[in-house]
Amino acid sequence: MSSSIVKYASQETNSTHEDNKERIDLPHGSDLTAPNLSLPAETLLQAAISLKDKVVQVTWRGQWNDYGNTDPTVYTGLLGTAFTCLRAYEATGSLQDLSLCTEIVDTCASIARSSTRHLTFLCGRGGVYALGAVAANYCGDQQKRDLYMDRFFEVAQERALPVGPEEGGFGMSYDLLYGRAGFLWTALFINKHLGAEAVPSDLLMPVVEAVLAGGRAGASDNTACPLMYRWHGTRYWGAAHGLAGILHVLLHFQALSADDIEDVKGTLRYMMSNRFPRSGNYPVSEGNPRDKLVQWCHGATGIGITLCKASEVLPTDREFRNAAIEAGEVVWKSGLVKKVGLADGAAGNAYAFLSLYRLTGESIYEDRAKAFANCLYHDQRNATTSSPSTGADHAYSLFQGLAGVACLWFDLLAPEKSKFPGYEI
């Protein structure tokens, strides 16, 4: 491994199948019982706590004093630190972490009302209010929970959310990071923690229907694929901006009609049938011939996690389970990418194995996730003793840096309960 995990967090290179200089292989990749890939649970716990503390030190106590310059989002900003503290509380029961989470969320809320136009969990005000409501609920603070829920319902009144394409509704995107799927995911997160109808279905289903209508309109020129979406003119396939993220959200809604389910299944089958034949990886976007990225944002990682969800929801359709397993093989054979975060790094790729572990119960996938996590552990000891990053490259953020690694380590303490932050419910 390289000498500095932080360096990886800020690099711009990605894994490729053509150029070995752009990837780092696991040492003796198939030897999962090697001593250097085995960490005791207590060691992993202490590493997760230590790294979480470092994230807090840099992003909250050290670098964010000028609130006017703060990014209040989960993806690359301060709210990702709050999410990491919440994950730490869920893993350890530390009331200090829960209190810190609420303190950070309150700061983000004061910033987001004037600076964040998006409505999503990862990159918008929706995430601030959802995380605020959930943290307040953990604290037993009903007044604050209701305050944040009221603010979320204000967000939900955005008129463009339930407007289908037939009404000129292309002004709002459909993707997970910035669009309607991201709003729907926020509501699913709230309902998981506060109750199934905390955000009522009669508010959500018109948005679901608009997403389906938009996908059908976007696929009107392709009879082989029932749903298709564009983000800034490009028909992406991945989790962040494309099909995988949108379909993953749709699969959580049990009220989908039979026709809706068939369109989701047909779209997944279209993607599966258009994998790259040599590697088994997935294109970044429709018609893109470059077999380059294996990560959550683009490629087999995010799509594989969506296929795990499809297999869970549609257990009689064995093809989705098989395709999820095959996507996991792509991630494993690609080795460790040079970045570390959830979006496009090794921590995000490890979650593909955790999803497969929960789906199949097979220990090999837990072992593979631990192999990735342990390699990150052996490298991070040098990184966290060095000078903190300035934050400009998001090296300590949730999706592009070390906070995502801390969440992975906390999740490995109970892999059967693991969830990819901001993606799996």
Side-chain angles (χ1 to χ4, degrees):
M1 293 288 292
S2 146
S3 62
S4 175
I5 198 171
V6 173
K7 178 182 70 176
Y8 297 159
S10 60
Q11 284 180 340
E12 292 302 320
T13 55
N14 294 284
S15 67
T16 72
H17 296 285
E18 300 86 2
D19 186 351
N20 287 332
K21 292 185 294 183
E22 298 297 329
R23 56 180 268 194
I24 301 169
D25 292 321
L26 282 171
H28 304 96
S30 60
D31 185 7
L32 298 174
T33 60
N36 67 326
L37 293 180
S38 178
L39 285 176
E42 182 61 28
T43 301
L44 196 60
L45 172 61
Q46 292 305 316
I49 292 172
S50 176
L51 188 54
K52 177 265 302 177
D53 289 343
K54 187 71 173 182
V55 169
V56 170
Q57 175 191 339
V58 173
T59 63
W60 176 239
R61 298 197 172 105
Q63 300 294 331
W64 298 99
N65 293 324
D66 182 2
Y67 291 157
N69 293 327
T70 299
D71 171 1
T73 70
V74 170
Y75 197 78
T76 54
L78 190 54
L79 198 63
T81 300
F83 186 98
T84 305
C85 290
L86 184 67
R87 184 58 58 90
Y89 164 73
E90 291 172 333
T92 68
S94 167
L95 294 179
Q96 181 178 359
D97 284 329
L98 179 60
S99 175
L100 186 57
C101 172
T102 60
E103 183 180 354
I104 296 172
V105 171
D106 288 345
T107 295
C108 290
S110 68
I111 303 165
R113 288 181 73 87
S114 60
S115 68
T116 306
R117 65 184 179 89
H118 300 296
L119 312 180
T120 61
F121 186 83
L122 294 179
C123 295
R125 285 177 287 137
V128 179
Y129 305 147
L131 199 58
V134 169
N137 192 62
Y138 272 127
C139 292
D141 189 338
Q142 182 174 345
Q143 183 177 3
K144 182 175 283 190
R145 182 196 68 189
D146 292 345
L147 170 65
Y148 277 120
M149 286 300 295
D150 287 344
R151 290 186 178 179
F152 175 79
F153 285 123
E154 289 177 11
V155 166
Q157 298 307 310
E158 169 60 53
R159 293 180 61 186
L161 281 167
V163 176
E166 71 282 358
E167 301 173 72
F170 285 114
M172 179 177 287
S173 67
Y174 296 92
D175 65 309
L176 187 73
L177 256 62
Y178 302 119
R180 303 177 213 214
F183 166 80
L184 290 171
W185 195 95
T186 310
L188 291 168
F189 177 79
I190 291 172
N191 286 352
K192 174 190 175 181
H193 289 278
L194 303 188
E197 284 292 307
V199 183
S201 57
D202 60 0
L203 187 152
L204 299 178
M205 289 312 296
V207 185
V208 171
E209 291 164 5
V211 172
L212 288 161
R216 288 169 182 140
S220 60
D221 59 347
N222 185 346
T223 57
C225 185
L227 303 172
M228 186 60 71
Y229 303 87
R230 287 175 173 82
W231 189 76
H232 286 233
T234 301
R235 293 171 291 184
Y236 287 104
W237 281 30
H241 295 302
L243 285 170
I246 297 167
L247 297 177
H248 190 266
V249 170
L250 291 176
L251 284 162
H252 287 79
F253 288 91
Q254 299 178 358
L256 294 184
S257 70
D259 288 342
D260 296 338
I261 288 292
E262 286 303 313
D263 281 352
V264 170
K265 290 164 62 173
T267 303
L268 288 170
R269 287 172 179 144
Y270 173 80
M271 297 170 73
M272 290 154 51
S273 68
N274 284 277
R275 286 173 283 185
F276 292 113
R278 291 185 61 186
S279 68
N281 193 28
Y282 290 80
V284 168
S285 58
E286 182 76 2
N288 191 325
R290 298 183 67 193
D291 183 4
K292 182 178 181 182
L293 302 179
V294 179
Q295 54 187 229
W296 174 79
C297 282
H298 306 291
T301 303
I303 294 172
I305 293 172
T306 294
L307 288 165
C308 285
K309 182 63 181 178
S311 182
E312 174 194 328
V313 174
L314 306 164
T316 60
D317 292 283
R318 191 77 177 185
E319 62 193 304
F320 300 128
R321 179 187 176 97
N322 293 339
I325 291 171
E326 291 162 5
E329 292 302 309
V330 174
V331 178
W332 179 248
K333 291 174 182 178
S334 294
L336 285 177
V337 295
K338 286 191 173 182
K339 294 185 182 181
V340 302
L342 296 175
D344 51 8
N349 282 3
Y351 273 101
F353 305 130
L354 290 176
S355 296
L356 284 167
Y357 173 68
R358 296 196 318 273
L359 177 67
T360 67
E362 295 181 9
S363 60
I364 187 175
Y365 298 117
E366 180 184 4
D367 291 340
R368 287 180 173 185
K370 287 180 176 179
F372 274 44
N374 293 349
C375 285
L376 290 171
Y377 167 80
H378 288 298
D379 200 57
Q380 66 85 31
R381 287 177 297 178
N382 294 323
T384 55
T385 58
S386 62
S387 299
S389 162
T390 62
D393 58 4
H394 310 301
Y396 286 86
S397 70
L398 183 60
F399 267 72
Q400 294 187 1
L402 291 168
V405 177
C407 286
L408 171 66
W409 290 344
F410 281 123
D411 270 336
L412 279 167
L413 300 172
E416 70 282 356
K417 299 179 181 178
S418 62
K419 301 292 181 185
F420 191 113
Y423 197 54
E424 295 180 298
I425 297 293

